[in-house]
């Protein structure tokens, strides 16, 4: 039920936009980012409003609402069972797609109902599920057999145009070892004169170094996934609490324990995350044959308490972040150069044990900041990024799709976002209007994005 006292009247906005879309001169779209980690414990959402006066103007981004919805344990366990079976035998894709489609569509409905957001007010939804792609499964344009075909269920159940399988192509090069989130973070964080870095602490750590615009093209940005973020900590929490808790994002559990420095040193000597990343299947496999279980076994053998185990795993995570940060900085930038500002985001950005350790070890000149300072809550970063990628994938289309599943158009010499789309109820009207907005011309990716609510832009507006 829509509240009469709601600050934003979504119903009237939706009606007005649909009625005037044929002659409206400015871009005004609402895009929902929807994503989940490999453990499928919760779905994270961000509803973003985009406005642009012309295709060449600054793109304005406003975060309307964000939050998470816990997944149904029964559905989650059923999906995990199917995924486990699929790794050992040929398993029908249709059943798994139906379950994942239900998980996401039900989560979208729950999020929208909680925040009084009509589904019809959303133009696009960009989805992402970490670690669920099945190697060896053929990918075709047949939604019934495609491993990401569950997005068709999402579109059918919600009526929203669904964009998925998002990939960034930079200057004609696809870099699969780099998260697409890094591309969006660089777009949001690049500064005129400050050398910045970004740490996104999700299941894996993504580290980006972003030289200032004043350097021109002298130094390129450097981005890489470089080891476990919350992955090992979440596993240790599930083990130590007998699955009562699946995360320690704020670090309170580990705070009562003491890290075992010997285990920390030995583990990081054994596992070099600059060469190979941990498998995301760790999030789904308790007592599996992987480094997370071997690490816990070593701690148990040494008779560490539950709090000490989680503290040890947390220190391993923090120390690896520090090592990879220093390694990438030394590898790609001149000796002695330090970052001016380090922005930290992701679910574990609130983990005081990690943040305090980094701040103690990094040079005093490095100012650590939450991503909230640019107008995006750290927890919402991934969902906002996939909303943005979905927008760019659709805006990059030169013509309307004629197939249910399509690839974005490629513009030689330009960065592009590739994505697959399942058409929703308003696809024809939306794409017709977008073509008129672009004047029938190819649209390059936005180079300048202004985030409403950004402290930085607020200071500029005040002339400070």
């Amino acid at each position: 039920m829509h509240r009469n006292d709601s600050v934003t009247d979504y119903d009237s906005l939706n009606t007005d936009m649909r009625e005037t879309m044929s002659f409206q001169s400015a871009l005004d779209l609402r895009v929902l980012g929807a994503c989940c980690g490999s453990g499928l414990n919760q779905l994270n959402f961000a509803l973003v409003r985009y406005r642009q006066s012309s295709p060449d103007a600054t793109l304005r981004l406003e975060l309307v609402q964000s939050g998470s919805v816990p997944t149904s344990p029964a559905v989650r366990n059923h999906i995990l069972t199917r995924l486990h079976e699929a790794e050992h035998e040929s398993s029908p894709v249709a059943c798994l797609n139906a379950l994942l489609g239900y998980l996401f569509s039900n989560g979208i409905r729950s999020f929208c109902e909680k925040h009084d957001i009509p589904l019809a007010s959303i133009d696009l939804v960009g989805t992402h599920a970490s670690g669920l792609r099945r190697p060896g499964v053929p990918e075709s344009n047949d939604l019934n057999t495609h491993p990401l075909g569950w997005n068709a269920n999402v579109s059918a159940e919600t009526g929203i145009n669904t964009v998925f399988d998002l990939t960034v192509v930079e200057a004609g090069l696809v870099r699969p070892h780099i998260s697409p989130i890094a591309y969006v973070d660089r777009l949001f964080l690049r500064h005129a004169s400050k050398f910045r870095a970004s740490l996104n602490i999700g299941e894996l750590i993504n580290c980006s170094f972003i030289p200032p615009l004043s350097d021109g093209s002298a130094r390129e940005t450097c981005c890489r996934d470089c080891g476990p973020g919350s992955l090992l900590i979440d596993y240790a929490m599930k083990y130590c609490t007998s699955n009562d808790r699946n995360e320690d994002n704020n670090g309170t559990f580990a705070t009562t324990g003491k890290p075992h420095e010997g285990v920390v040193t030995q583990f990081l000597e054994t596992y070099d995350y600059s060469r190979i990343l941990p498998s995301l299947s760790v999030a789904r496999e308790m007592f599996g044959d992987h480094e997370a279980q071997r690490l816990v076994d070593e701690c148990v053998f040494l008779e560490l308490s539950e709090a000490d185990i989680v503290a040890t795993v947390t220190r391993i995570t923090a120390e690896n972040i520090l090592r990879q940060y220093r390694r990438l900085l030394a590898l790609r930038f001149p000796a002695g150069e330090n970052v001016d500002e380090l922005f930290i985001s992701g679910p574990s950005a609130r983990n005081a044990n990690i943040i305090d350790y980094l701040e103690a070890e990094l040079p005093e000149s490095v100012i650590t900041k939450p991503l909230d300072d640019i107008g995006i809550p750290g927890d919402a970063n991934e969902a906002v990024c996939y909303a943005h990628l979905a927008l760019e994938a659709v805006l990059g289309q030169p013509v309307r799709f004629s197939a249910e599943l399509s690839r974005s158009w490629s513009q030689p010499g330009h960065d592009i976002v590739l994505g697959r789309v399942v058409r929703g109820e308003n696809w024809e009207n939306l794409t017709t209007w977008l073509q008129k907005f672009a004047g029938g011309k190819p649209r390059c990716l936005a180079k300048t994005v202004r985030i409403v609510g950004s402290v930085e832009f607020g200071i500029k507006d005040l002339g400070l």
Side-chain angles (χ1 to χ4, degrees), residues 162-432:
T162 304
V163 192
F164 62 103
D165 196 11
L166 291 153
T167 305
V168 177
V169 180
E170 299 182 62
L173 179 65
V174 177
R175 297 189 286 177
H177 59 285
I178 296 176
S179 167
I181 298 174
Y183 178 85
V184 182
D185 281 347
R186 298 202 310 273
L187 178 65
F188 292 167
L189 290 173
R190 196 152 201 180
H191 191 271
S193 58
K194 295 178 181 178
F195 183 22
R196 287 175 162 175
S198 170
L199 281 177
N200 184 55
I201 312 178
E203 288 180 320
L204 299 179
I205 285 288
N206 179 269
C207 183
S208 302
F209 290 95
I210 310 163
L213 290 169
S214 58
D215 279 7
S217 59
R219 296 183 300 173
E220 296 181 353
T221 56
C222 170
C223 312
R224 184 169 290 275
D225 289 337
C226 48
S230 66
L231 191 66
L232 300 182
I233 299 173
D234 294 348
Y235 187 91
M237 283 296 295
K238 286 185 285 188
Y239 182 93
C240 292
T241 65
S242 299
N243 281 318
D244 285 342
R245 290 182 58 181
N246 53 44
E247 50 84 12
D248 189 34
N249 287 338
N250 56 14
T252 54
F253 194 94
T255 299
T256 61
K258 181 180 180 181
H260 191 292
E261 295 297 339
V263 173
V264 173
T265 301
Q266 181 180 5
F267 184 87
L268 291 176
E269 287 178 352
T270 304
Y271 297 96
D272 182 2
Y273 290 118
S274 66
R275 297 179 179 274
I276 188 169
L277 296 175
S279 171
L280 290 176
S281 64
V282 168
R284 303 190 297 269
E285 296 179 358
M286 291 303 295
F287 309 106
D289 183 19
H290 46 65
E291 66 258 47
Q293 184 59 49
R294 288 190 283 272
L295 174 57
V296 169
D297 288 343
E298 177 66 18
C299 292
V300 171
F301 177 78
L302 295 173
E303 299 183 344
L304 301 187
S305 68
E306 283 82 1
D308 288 347
I309 292 174
V310 177
T312 299
V313 176
T314 302
R315 177 59 59 81
I316 287 172
T317 301
E319 176 61 26
N320 178 66
I321 293 173
L322 183 65
R323 292 186 184 188
Q324 301 302 328
Y325 174 95
R326 288 171 171 168
R327 182 184 67 83
L328 289 173
L329 183 62
L331 183 66
R332 298 295 297 272
F333 299 96
E337 183 160 16
N338 281 316
V339 167
D340 296 312
E341 296 176 338
L342 172 62
F343 286 83
I344 304 176
S345 64
S348 291
R350 303 191 310 271
N351 192 317
N353 302 297
I354 294 177
I355 305 306
D356 289 350
Y357 185 78
L358 293 177
E359 290 180 339
E361 296 295 328
L362 290 171
E364 292 184 2
S365 60
V366 179
I367 301 173
T368 58
K369 292 185 174 184
L371 199 66
D372 303 59
D373 281 9
I374 68 166
I376 299 175
D379 285 356
N381 184 38
E382 184 175 15
V384 170
C385 286
Y386 278 100
H388 190 81
L389 291 168
L391 175 80
E392 292 288 11
V394 171
L395 291 184
Q397 294 289 336
V399 295
R400 288 179 292 170
F401 292 137
S402 58
E404 286 186 328
L405 195 63
S406 302
R407 275 285 183 181
S408 290
W409 178 58
S410 176
Q411 304 177 53
H414 294 283
D415 294 346
I416 59 172
V417 176
L418 298 179
R420 300 181 186 271
V421 180
V422 182
R423 296 179 293 179
E425 295 173 358
N426 76 327
W427 177 254
E428 294 295 331
N429 289 337
L430 176 65
T431 51
T432 298

Side-chain angles (χ1 to χ4, degrees), residues 28 39 63 67 91 149 171 204 214 227-228 452:
D28 191 348
L63 179 60
S91 178
L204 299 179
S214 58
V452 177

